[in-house]
Amino acid sequence: MAPHREPHPDGPDGTPDSRALVGFDLDFSAHEMLRRAQVLAALGPDWDPVEVMRGEEEAYDLLYSGLDPEQQRVYEELVAAGVLPRREGGGRAAA
């Protein structure tokens, strides 16, 4: 009579179950800190985030200024659909 063997917990035949998930963690915090430091170094000491935001707002004002009637209609549809935020001046900023 053969001795009774308990099945291995990994697989019914005692072999490891290849479908079992293996967990592992990756810590990217050191890499992220290096990346941020490199970005700030590339921007340089004269970088002014407030001035950059002002410049972007001015660029958007120019982008949506001087629209012809068809462009204005499309702009209004996009604002109504929530695709674009309403700009001060209603898309009619001075160029």
Side-chain angles (χ1 to χ4, degrees), residues 48-56 58:
D48 182 1
V50 175
E51 186 59 34
V52 169
M53 292 301 294
R54 261 191 225 115
E56 285 186 12
E58 290 172 9

Side-chain angles (χ1 to χ4, degrees), residues 3-45:
H4 177 71
R5 293 176 56 195
E6 290 291 322
H8 192 275
D10 287 331
D13 62 353
T15 60
D17 187 354
S18 64
R19 297 172 299 171
L21 298 177
V22 176
F24 62 93
D25 295 326
L26 297 174
D27 184 2
F28 290 115
S29 57
H31 182 267
E32 179 62 14
M33 292 303 294
L34 177 62
R35 185 193 68 81
R36 288 182 186 187
Q38 290 172 339
V39 167
L40 290 175
L43 291 171

Side-chain angles (χ1 to χ4, degrees), residues 33-95:
M33 292 303 294
L34 177 62
R35 185 193 68 81
R36 288 182 186 187
Q38 290 172 339
V39 167
L40 290 175
L43 291 171
D46 297 331
W47 180 64
D48 182 1
V50 175
E51 186 59 34
V52 169
M53 292 301 294
R54 261 191 225 115
E56 285 186 12
E57 288 299 315
E58 290 172 9
Y60 277 117
D61 288 343
L62 285 174
L63 178 64
Y64 296 115
S65 66
L67 301 177
D68 66 32
E70 175 64 13
Q71 291 168 331
Q72 186 66 38
R73 183 191 64 75
V74 170
Y75 170 81
E76 294 296 334
E77 284 182 11
L78 292 172
V79 169
V83 175
L84 292 174
R86 180 161 301 280
R87 309 283 311 160
E88 291 184 28
R92 294 183 171 89

